Amino acid sequence: MLRCLIVDDSTRFLEVARTVLERDGISVVGTASTGAQALSLAAELRPDVTLVDIDLGGESGLRLARRLAEQAGGAPAPIILISIHSEEDYADLIAASPAIGFLPKTALSGAAIRGKLDGVSGP
């Protein structure tokens, strides 16, 4: 089963995302609402994929994605950026990040995550 860490500053979104993903056969092994929590949990849990909100309140999810990749060294777990905003709003920043892709929060599903991991473009 695919193991996922979700990083988002919205407690409500974390709850909904966990429910949706677990229903779709993805094990949510942890959730974090800050960069510090995410770095700690990623090191401890070693998820198969990490979802990172681009806008973490006062923190940058894009910066956190770079820090997660650096922390993991030579074999970082894939990172997928998520947001309520459209991909076009952040296209250049997403392309310059270590993330393998982007998913709008409204399109979040197990199939969408697996598609990104398999290199299939999606929503």
Side-chain angles (χ1 to χ4, degrees), residues 2 9 18 21 26 30 36 38 44 55-56 61-63 66 68 77 81 84-85 106 108-109 116 120-121:
L2 194 61
D9 61 323
R18 177 188 290 273
L21 295 180
I26 292 181
E44 174 188 339
D55 182 9
L56 286 174
L62 293 159
R63 185 173 301 123
R66 281 190 289 283
L68 286 165
L81 295 167
I84 58 170
H85 302 285
T106 56
L108 189 62
S109 69
K116 292 294 180 188
V120 177
S121 61

Tab-separated table of all heavy atoms in Angstrom, residues 2 9 18 21 26 30 36 38 44 55-56 61-63 66 68 77 81 84-85 106 108-109 116 120-121:
chain	number	residue	atom	x	y	z
A	2	LEU	N	0.534	2.202	-0.813
A	2	LEU	CA	1.266	3.463	-0.924
A	2	LEU	C	1.127	4.253	0.379
A	2	LEU	O	0.022	4.432	0.886
A	2	LEU	CB	0.696	4.258	-2.096
A	2	LEU	CG	1.489	5.441	-2.611
A	2	LEU	CD1	2.844	4.970	-3.122
A	2	LEU	CD2	0.725	6.099	-3.749
A	9	ASP	N	-1.736	23.543	6.127
A	9	ASP	CA	-2.038	24.294	7.347
A	9	ASP	C	-3.516	24.265	7.720
A	9	ASP	O	-3.891	24.788	8.764
A	9	ASP	CB	-1.531	25.734	7.245
A	9	ASP	CG	-2.160	26.505	6.107
A	9	ASP	OD1	-2.394	25.917	5.032
A	9	ASP	OD2	-2.406	27.715	6.277
A	18	ARG	N	-7.317	12.898	4.189
A	18	ARG	CA	-7.062	11.569	4.766
A	18	ARG	C	-8.205	10.620	4.421
A	18	ARG	O	-7.981	9.492	3.976
A	18	ARG	CB	-6.885	11.650	6.280
A	18	ARG	CG	-6.690	10.264	6.927
A	18	ARG	CD	-6.713	10.341	8.453
A	18	ARG	NE	-5.561	11.005	9.005
A	18	ARG	CZ	-4.405	10.402	9.291
A	18	ARG	NH1	-4.246	9.119	9.035
A	18	ARG	NH2	-3.412	11.076	9.819
A	21	LEU	N	-8.216	9.811	0.549
A	21	LEU	CA	-7.089	8.980	0.124
A	21	LEU	C	-7.158	7.575	0.716
A	21	LEU	O	-6.878	6.593	0.020
A	21	LEU	CB	-5.762	9.652	0.461
A	21	LEU	CG	-5.501	10.965	-0.288
A	21	LEU	CD1	-4.162	11.553	0.120
A	21	LEU	CD2	-5.592	10.769	-1.790
A	26	ILE	N	-4.853	4.484	-0.237
A	26	ILE	CA	-3.561	5.078	0.112
A	26	ILE	C	-3.515	5.245	1.627
A	26	ILE	O	-4.434	5.796	2.220
A	26	ILE	CB	-3.349	6.426	-0.606
A	26	ILE	CG1	-3.192	6.172	-2.097
A	26	ILE	CG2	-2.146	7.174	-0.034
A	26	ILE	CD1	-2.943	7.383	-2.933
A	30	GLY	N	0.926	10.080	8.054
A	30	GLY	CA	1.125	11.251	8.895
A	30	GLY	C	0.604	12.507	8.244
A	30	GLY	O	0.438	12.564	7.022
A	36	ALA	N	8.403	22.505	10.027
A	36	ALA	CA	9.180	21.769	11.023
A	36	ALA	C	8.571	20.393	11.290
A	36	ALA	O	9.286	19.385	11.357
A	36	ALA	CB	9.280	22.564	12.319
A	38	ALA	N	6.693	18.715	9.221
A	38	ALA	CA	6.846	17.933	7.991
A	38	ALA	C	8.245	17.335	7.894
A	38	ALA	O	8.402	16.156	7.565
A	38	ALA	CB	6.562	18.805	6.777
A	44	GLU	N	11.195	10.583	10.047
A	44	GLU	CA	10.789	9.473	10.904
A	44	GLU	C	10.007	8.405	10.134
A	44	GLU	O	10.259	7.210	10.279
A	44	GLU	CB	9.919	10.023	12.045
A	44	GLU	CG	9.312	8.973	12.941
A	44	GLU	CD	8.308	9.558	13.935
A	44	GLU	OE1	8.366	10.776	14.206
A	44	GLU	OE2	7.466	8.792	14.407
A	55	ASP	N	0.968	26.989	-0.266
A	55	ASP	CA	0.835	28.107	0.673
A	55	ASP	C	0.532	27.558	2.062
A	55	ASP	O	-0.599	27.227	2.373
A	55	ASP	CB	-0.278	29.042	0.211
A	55	ASP	CG	-0.435	30.244	1.117
A	55	ASP	OD1	0.415	30.460	2.001
A	55	ASP	OD2	-1.422	30.980	0.935
A	56	LEU	N	1.546	27.476	2.890
A	56	LEU	CA	1.398	26.957	4.254
A	56	LEU	C	1.235	28.101	5.248
A	56	LEU	O	1.999	28.219	6.202
A	56	LEU	CB	2.634	26.135	4.636
A	56	LEU	CG	2.765	24.765	4.014
A	56	LEU	CD1	4.113	24.147	4.375
A	56	LEU	CD2	1.632	23.868	4.443
A	61	GLY	N	5.442	26.459	0.869
A	61	GLY	CA	5.487	25.039	0.568
A	61	GLY	C	6.548	24.723	-0.472
A	61	GLY	O	7.125	23.631	-0.478
A	62	LEU	N	6.831	25.677	-1.341
A	62	LEU	CA	7.882	25.486	-2.345
A	62	LEU	C	9.253	25.379	-1.666
A	62	LEU	O	10.062	24.518	-2.009
A	62	LEU	CB	7.871	26.636	-3.352
A	62	LEU	CG	6.617	26.684	-4.232
A	62	LEU	CD1	6.432	28.065	-4.818
A	62	LEU	CD2	6.691	25.626	-5.321
A	63	ARG	N	9.499	26.225	-0.691
A	63	ARG	CA	10.756	26.164	0.063
A	63	ARG	C	10.822	24.854	0.862
A	63	ARG	O	11.862	24.201	0.927
A	63	ARG	CB	10.884	27.362	1.005
A	63	ARG	CG	12.233	27.409	1.717
A	63	ARG	CD	12.448	28.673	2.525
A	63	ARG	NE	12.365	29.857	1.683
A	63	ARG	CZ	11.510	30.876	1.875
A	63	ARG	NH1	10.689	30.862	2.894
A	63	ARG	NH2	11.494	31.904	1.066
A	66	ARG	N	11.887	21.931	-1.268
A	66	ARG	CA	13.344	21.892	-1.452
A	66	ARG	C	14.037	21.334	-0.206
A	66	ARG	O	14.968	20.538	-0.303
A	66	ARG	CB	13.880	23.285	-1.781
A	66	ARG	CG	13.674	23.674	-3.239
A	66	ARG	CD	14.410	24.944	-3.602
A	66	ARG	NE	13.839	26.154	-3.025
A	66	ARG	CZ	12.741	26.758	-3.471
A	66	ARG	NH1	12.096	26.279	-4.500
A	66	ARG	NH2	12.304	27.858	-2.894
A	68	LEU	N	12.753	19.297	2.048
A	68	LEU	CA	12.471	17.866	2.152
A	68	LEU	C	13.381	17.067	1.226
A	68	LEU	O	13.912	16.025	1.607
A	68	LEU	CB	11.001	17.579	1.810
A	68	LEU	CG	9.976	17.971	2.872
A	68	LEU	CD1	8.580	17.974	2.280
A	68	LEU	CD2	10.053	17.029	4.069
A	77	ALA	N	11.803	10.930	-1.366
A	77	ALA	CA	10.480	10.442	-1.756
A	77	ALA	C	9.869	11.474	-2.691
A	77	ALA	O	10.110	12.676	-2.539
A	77	ALA	CB	9.607	10.262	-0.523
A	81	LEU	N	3.102	18.848	-5.195
A	81	LEU	CA	2.587	20.104	-4.654
A	81	LEU	C	1.084	20.152	-4.856
A	81	LEU	O	0.565	19.684	-5.882
A	81	LEU	CB	3.267	21.287	-5.345
A	81	LEU	CG	4.773	21.391	-5.075
A	81	LEU	CD1	5.418	22.381	-6.032
A	81	LEU	CD2	5.037	21.791	-3.632
A	84	ILE	N	-5.193	25.239	-3.652
A	84	ILE	CA	-6.536	25.586	-4.108
A	84	ILE	C	-6.452	26.450	-5.365
A	84	ILE	O	-7.411	26.581	-6.092
A	84	ILE	CB	-7.362	26.323	-3.018
A	84	ILE	CG1	-6.652	27.601	-2.577
A	84	ILE	CG2	-7.642	25.411	-1.852
A	84	ILE	CD1	-7.489	28.494	-1.689
A	85	HIS	N	-5.283	27.020	-5.603
A	85	HIS	CA	-5.070	27.855	-6.791
A	85	HIS	C	-4.772	26.970	-7.994
A	85	HIS	O	-4.400	25.807	-7.845
A	85	HIS	CB	-3.924	28.841	-6.549
A	85	HIS	CG	-4.156	29.730	-5.380
A	85	HIS	ND1	-5.038	30.782	-5.406
A	85	HIS	CD2	-3.634	29.708	-4.127
A	85	HIS	CE1	-5.056	31.376	-4.228
A	85	HIS	NE2	-4.207	30.741	-3.430
A	106	THR	N	-8.926	20.176	-5.394
A	106	THR	CA	-10.233	19.658	-5.813
A	106	THR	C	-10.119	18.366	-6.622
A	106	THR	O	-11.100	17.658	-6.787
A	106	THR	CB	-10.981	20.706	-6.653
A	106	THR	OG1	-10.151	21.080	-7.764
A	106	THR	CG2	-11.330	21.931	-5.820
A	108	LEU	N	-7.792	15.955	-5.862
A	108	LEU	CA	-7.024	15.016	-5.068
A	108	LEU	C	-7.743	13.672	-4.984
A	108	LEU	O	-8.908	13.597	-4.603
A	108	LEU	CB	-6.799	15.574	-3.664
A	108	LEU	CG	-5.832	14.796	-2.788
A	108	LEU	CD1	-4.435	14.783	-3.400
A	108	LEU	CD2	-5.784	15.392	-1.403
A	109	SER	N	-7.038	12.621	-5.361
A	109	SER	CA	-7.562	11.258	-5.269
A	109	SER	C	-6.391	10.293	-5.323
A	109	SER	O	-5.278	10.654	-5.722
A	109	SER	CB	-8.516	10.957	-6.429
A	109	SER	OG	-7.798	10.877	-7.651
A	116	LYS	N	0.429	10.682	-11.116
A	116	LYS	CA	1.633	11.521	-11.038
A	116	LYS	C	2.874	10.666	-10.787
A	116	LYS	O	3.920	10.895	-11.372
A	116	LYS	CB	1.502	12.578	-9.928
A	116	LYS	CG	0.475	13.642	-10.209
A	116	LYS	CD	0.871	14.494	-11.384
A	116	LYS	CE	-0.174	15.563	-11.644
A	116	LYS	NZ	0.071	16.288	-12.880
A	120	VAL	N	2.019	9.944	-15.462
A	120	VAL	CA	0.866	10.243	-16.309
A	120	VAL	C	0.362	11.626	-15.957
A	120	VAL	O	0.104	11.926	-14.808
A	120	VAL	CB	-0.268	9.203	-16.073
A	120	VAL	CG1	-1.489	9.542	-16.877
A	120	VAL	CG2	0.223	7.809	-16.367
A	121	SER	N	0.261	12.490	-16.951
A	121	SER	CA	-0.252	13.830	-16.662
A	121	SER	C	-1.731	13.736	-16.377
A	121	SER	O	-2.442	12.912	-16.941
A	121	SER	CB	0.014	14.778	-17.835
A	121	SER	OG	-0.634	14.306	-18.988
